[in-house]
């Protein structure tokens, strides 16, 4: 597929599944060796061969609202900083002073320049080395060769993508829908660390087979047992979780159907980012692999496109609080439970079934790129 289905086609297909008691399903099984979740060498290969070579969503454009807005954090274990320049263009750099490597930016904020807090070397927002205190101490130093080291940045679909290495893997960002528009408010960003492998956590987002048993009292009462649409576009994917209130669309002409508030979309942006579109808000989660058994989750929440003003933010906050304290907490507990058993020897492989085909799609792509 070259694009995700439009909302009207989604509505039609969901209504057919409801009527027929069916769901989207893949062909066969996928068997993933458990070793691939625990082996430090495999983890290092995933970082080196995939995450540092792929254009990876780094933050929403909304996190860089004005000239000088920056976000500094590690991506695939490498400290980076992205910043919107005076010219409005977003640039990215390895976050390391060209004197002796101290990180020149921390966290997020707005800066006119980056000044290293070790010896005071100062860089412009475009990375150029602007000032060296007591420069006579560096006879012959070519300032133009000591600017911050750039990484490739693309701003597309309301997101900022970063590719760290020159030997980049080709990925078509034009096939992505626009996720965030400028009228959506970024109302929350936070980080937390989970003692789980990044792929174990990721997999919890990519199938709806678990909704009834795992979210019995939280998500399931609004939804269905094992009823989802799954789509792939390139290496990316989307899973649709319809709510029961979707059925009221039966009485509406197909071309007039609106799905806002009637379903949840979860996009998987290969390899380590999810974007969930919920009733009143959208959350982007970046799963930053820290170690084979540790993942830092960076979360950005924005208001849904349908909401305006302060009342909208309030609704979005309530929606987000419900999700994170109920269903998401359940998913995290399950991911920790899986992580605890990885070394038990009970499973040499994990078997993913026909209702878990987006997980197979993910592993198939990882496998191909690791070999490439
Ligand atoms: S390490 Fe940055 S100025 Fe010395
Ligand atoms: Fe879940």
């Amino acid at each position: 597929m070259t694009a995700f289905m439009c909302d009207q086609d989604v509505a039609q297909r969901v209504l057919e599944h409801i009527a027929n008691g069916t769901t989207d399903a893949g062909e066969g099984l996928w068997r993933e060796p458990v070793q691939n979740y625990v082996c430090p060498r495999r983890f290092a290969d995933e970082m080196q061969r995939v995450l540092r070579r792929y254009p990876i969503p780094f933050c929403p454009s909304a996190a860089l609202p004005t000239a000088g807005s920056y976000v500094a954090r590690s991506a695939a274990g490498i400290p980076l900083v992205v910043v919107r320049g005076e010219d409005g263009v977003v640039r990215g750099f390895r976050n390391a002073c060209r004197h002796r490597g101290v990180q020149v930016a921390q966290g997020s904020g707005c800066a006119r320049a980056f000044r290293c807090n070790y010896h005071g070397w100062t860089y412009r927002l475009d990375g150029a080395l602007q000032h060296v205190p007591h420069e006579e101490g560096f006879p012959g130093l070519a300032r133009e060769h000591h600017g911050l080291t750039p990484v490739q940045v693309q701003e597309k679909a309301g997101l900022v993508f970063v590719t760290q290495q020159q030997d980049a893997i080709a990925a078509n960002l034009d096939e992505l829908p626009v996720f965030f528009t400028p009228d959506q408010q970024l109302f929350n960003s936070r980080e937390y660390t989970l003692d789980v492998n990044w792929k174990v956590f990721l997999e919890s987002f990519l199938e709806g087979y678990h909704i009834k048993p795992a979210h019995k009292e939280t998500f399931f009462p609004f939804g269905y047992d094992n009823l989802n649409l799954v789509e792939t576009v390139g290496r990316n994917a989307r899973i649709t979780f319809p709510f029961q209130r979707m059925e009221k669309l039966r009485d509406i002409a197909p071309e007039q159907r609106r799905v806002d508030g009637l379903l949840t979309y979860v996009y998987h942006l290969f390899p380590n980012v999810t974007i969930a579109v919920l009733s009143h808000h959208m959350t982007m989660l970046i799963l930053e692999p820290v170690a084979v058994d540790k993942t830092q989750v960076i979360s950005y929440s924005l208001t849904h496109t349908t909401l305006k003003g302060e009342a909208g933010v309030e609704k979005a906050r309530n929606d987000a609080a419900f999700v994170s304290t109920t269903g998401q907490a359940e998913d995290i507990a399950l991911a920790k439970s899986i992580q605890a058993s990885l070394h038990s020897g009970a499973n040499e492989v994990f078997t993913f079934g026909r209702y878990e085909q987006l997980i197979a799609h993910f592993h198939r792509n990882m496998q191909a790129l690791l070999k490439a």
Side-chain angles (χ1 to χ4, degrees):
M1 245 186 280
T2 55
F4 295 107
M5 281 189 289
C6 68
D7 289 350
Q8 285 69 35
D9 289 353
V10 165
Q12 184 58 33
R13 197 148 135 201
V14 167
L15 291 174
E16 285 166 15
H17 278 320
I18 295 170
N20 302 332
T22 50
T23 185
D24 281 2
E27 293 288 303
L29 303 179
W30 177 269
R31 293 190 171 83
E32 183 69 10
V34 170
Q35 186 65 8
N36 289 350
Y37 300 85
V38 297
C39 171
R41 197 161 10 132
R42 162 77 184 213
F43 177 83
D45 281 350
E46 290 171 353
M47 298 306 103
Q48 189 63 29
R49 299 203 50 74
V50 183
L51 275 80
R52 291 181 195 145
R53 294 174 61 212
Y54 207 79
I56 288 185
F58 190 84
C59 62
S61 292
L64 303 172
T66 58
S69 300
Y70 70 86
V71 172
R73 67 171 175 82
S74 286
I78 304 293
L80 302 178
V81 55
V82 298
V83 58
R84 193 175 296 282
E86 307 288 352
D87 54 2
V89 175
V90 180
R91 297 180 181 80
F93 306 97
R94 295 179 192 273
N95 189 3
C97 180
R98 296 300 309 284
H99 178 216
R100 284 166 51 195
V102 166
Q103 294 180 35
V104 298
Q106 282 79 37
S108 59
C110 196
R112 302 178 66 143
F114 296 118
R115 184 176 174 277
C116 177
N117 60 20
Y118 202 0
H119 311 92
W121 286 29
T122 305
Y123 303 86
R124 291 203 315 237
L125 299 181
D126 64 2
L129 177 59
Q130 185 178 34
H131 178 66
V132 175
H134 304 290
E135 197 166 5
E136 69 283 359
F138 295 89
L141 178 85
R143 272 207 227 166
E144 63 275 21
H145 293 148
H146 289 79
L148 294 174
T149 308
V151 292
Q152 257 186 68
V153 169
Q154 290 163 277
E155 193 173 15
K156 280 258 159 89
L159 301 171
V160 173
F161 293 82
V162 168
T163 315
Q164 299 193 31
Q165 284 177 196
Q166 298 295 331
D167 58 339
I169 298 164
N172 181 7
L173 303 184
D174 291 326
E175 64 194 5
L176 295 174
V178 172
F179 291 104
F180 301 119
T181 56
D183 56 337
Q184 290 177 262
Q185 283 196 55
L186 174 62
F187 65 89
N188 191 22
S189 61
R190 64 191 184 112
E191 293 180 16
Y192 49 95
T193 301
L194 300 176
D195 289 330
V196 298
N197 179 273
W198 69 282
K199 295 179 293 184
V200 168
F201 190 44
L202 176 69
E203 287 163 357
S204 71
F205 294 88
L206 302 184
E207 45 90 0
Y209 173 51
H210 75 278
I211 294 292
K212 185 177 177 191
H215 302 301
K216 199 163 189 48
E217 319 260 304
T218 53
F219 293 158
F220 174 63
F222 302 98
Y224 295 91
D225 178 18
N226 199 32
L227 197 169
N228 303 95
L229 306 188
V230 296
E231 301 163 74
T232 60
V233 170
R235 298 183 186 94
N236 307 299
R238 179 173 75 175
I239 178 163
T240 301
F241 298 88
F243 300 144
Q244 290 165 19
R245 48 185 190 259
M246 191 102 191
E247 296 193 46
K248 68 186 184 193
L249 291 184
R250 267 191 213 292
D251 305 327
I252 297 175
E255 64 283 0
Q256 283 168 13
R257 289 173 182 159
R258 297 283 311 268
V259 301
D260 301 308
L262 304 182
L263 52 73
T264 298
Y265 285 136
V266 175
Y267 291 87
H268 173 214
L269 301 192
F270 183 85
N272 66 327
V273 172
T274 66
I275 296 179
V277 184
L278 298 117
S279 296
H280 299 305
H281 79 295
M282 298 171 60
T283 292
M284 172 180 183
L285 295 182
I286 299 150
L287 313 188
E288 161 65 7
V290 177
V292 72
D293 56 0
K294 195 182 281 287
T295 304
Q296 185 190 21
V297 182
I298 299 111
S299 147
Y300 291 99
S301 295
L302 291 90
T303 52
H304 195 282
T305 43
T306 52
L307 296 180
K308 301 276 177 284
E310 271 314 301
V313 172
E314 194 54 32
K315 266 188 170 177
R317 273 188 205 286
N318 292 339
D319 199 17
F322 171 75
V323 173
S324 65
T325 55
T326 58
Q328 201 178 340
E330 288 163 342
D331 285 328
I332 287 173
L334 289 160
K336 287 181 178 168
S337 179
I338 294 169
Q339 184 70 34
S341 85
L342 290 178
H343 290 281
S344 71
N347 294 294
E348 262 181 43
V349 296
F350 285 141
T351 307
F352 295 97
R354 295 178 58 218
Y355 305 127
E356 297 162 299
Q357 62 168 305
L358 293 188
I359 299 176
H361 179 72
F362 163 64
H363 287 302
R364 204 175 288 121
N365 281 309
M366 284 298 288
Q367 191 181 72
L369 293 177
L370 285 165
K371 280 192 196 142

